[in-house]
Amino acid sequence: EAQVTQNPRYLITVTGKKLTVTCSQNMNHEYMSWYRQDPGLGLRQIYYSMNVEVTDKGDVPEGYKVSRKEKRNFPLILESPSPNQTSLYFCASRRTRSSYEQYFGPGTRLTVT
Amino acid sequence: DAKTTQPTSMDCAEGRAANLPCNHSTISGNEYVYWYRQIHSQGPQYIIHGLKNNETNEMASLIITEDRKSSTLILPHATLRDTAVYYCIVRVANQAGTALIFGKGTTLSVSS
């Protein structure tokens, strides 16, 4: 089954404790991205990657890092999480940057205390 | 960037057609209209997209006006499982990639 998976699905952590949210897709997609969703603000793109070793900032990249060492994986790293990063996070992929259909993962609900 | 305007919420009776409007009066000639939906806190799901012509797939139909300033997503026979937030998105292009900008969408409530 074609899918995007994220782990963990739920995470509660404390300020400053480094964490990684993993994202993996099994569709051999070139393009992957991370979004965060907050009440009243909709979905906002954090980072995106057009292919292996090619990443770039989205609209809200501050406080986040990403890497794309393999085509299928696109982890989101929070080096020093803060409470304002409490949010619902979605990973997404599509075949290429110009593809029409984007597949989203199930989401990771992160709480930083 | 072309912006979209959607009603905040709509109601629909189960089995009836749900018609969700979207205004995008500043859309440029090479921009597509996409529709996604999000069922409570799940990842958004692609529904359909179009440029000029009307489009239909197994999920929905998309009607785009001739001047392309507005469009309507039609769910022909809404079910309770269609209750979701529906996003109308106009695709923007930037220097290095293509971002989908999700606004606030329309909350569709389907009731029996």
Side-chain angles (χ1 to χ4, degrees):
Chain A
E1 179 188 355
Q3 60 182 355
V4 178
T5 57
Q6 296 178 227
N7 282 292
R9 296 289 313 281
Y10 302 90
L11 179 60
I12 301 174
T13 189
V14 296
T15 299
K17 185 177 181 181
K18 180 179 178 179
L19 66 91
T20 299
V21 183
T22 65
C23 172
S24 183
Q25 49 91 7
N26 63 359
M27 297 166 279
N28 201 36
H29 285 174
E30 292 181 355
Y31 188 98
M32 298 184 73
S33 57
W34 276 101
Y35 291 83
R36 62 177 289 174
Q37 185 172 32
D38 303 289
L41 296 176
L43 282 115
R44 295 177 292 169
Q45 192 178 57
I46 302 170
Y47 267 94
Y48 64 90
S49 168
M50 289 194 285
N51 216 322
V52 175
E53 301 291 0
V54 181
T55 64
D56 210 342
K57 297 177 181 179
D59 297 320
V60 288
E62 294 77 21
Y64 304 95
K65 288 175 58 178
V66 293
S67 68
R68 188 90 181 273
K69 297 178 182 177
E70 306 166 282
K71 200 171 189 179
R72 65 182 295 128
N73 297 322
F74 190 45
L76 180 69
I77 303 157
L78 285 72
E79 294 271 4
S80 183
S82 62
N84 64 13
Q85 293 178 297
T86 292
S87 187
L88 179 58
Y89 291 86
F90 291 103
C91 180
S93 75
R94 56 184 193 253
R95 190 171 56 83
T96 68
R97 58 178 277 188
S98 57
S99 297
Y100 302 118
E101 185 173 356
Q102 185 152 271
Y103 295 81
F104 283 81
T108 295
R109 188 168 292 281
L110 172 66
T111 301
V112 183
T113 61
Chain B
D1 298 351
K3 295 185 178 179
T4 62
T5 303
Q6 300 177 252
T8 302
S9 63
M10 295 184 65
D11 296 318
C12 180
E14 190 176 23
R16 304 297 295 269
N19 297 285
L20 292 89
C22 179
N23 287 322
H24 32 79
S25 58
T26 60
I27 192 171
S28 62
N30 61 350
E31 288 182 317
Y32 287 76
V33 179
Y34 293 79
W35 283 84
Y36 280 75
R37 72 179 182 184
Q38 186 176 21
I39 298 170
H40 182 62
S41 293
Q42 296 181 19
Q45 177 189 24
Y46 166 84
I47 301 173
I48 199 167
H49 75 278
L51 181 63
K52 296 180 182 178
N53 300 320
N54 299 336
E55 302 288 345
T56 296
N57 63 19
E58 65 278 4
M59 289 183 67
S61 295
L62 175 61
I63 309 298
I64 302 174
T65 58
E66 191 169 344
D67 63 9
R68 302 211 323 125
K69 292 184 177 182
S70 66
S71 60
T72 301
L73 177 75
I74 301 172
L75 307 179
H77 305 286
T79 70
L80 298 178
R81 288 177 294 181
D82 291 323
T83 292
V85 179
Y86 287 78
Y87 297 98
C88 170
I89 301 165
V90 172
R91 187 187 191 199
V92 298
N94 58 35
Q95 181 179 2
T98 305
L100 292 178
I101 299 176
F102 290 79
K104 297 185 178 180
T106 296
T107 298
L108 175 68
S109 299
V110 181
S111 57
S112 57

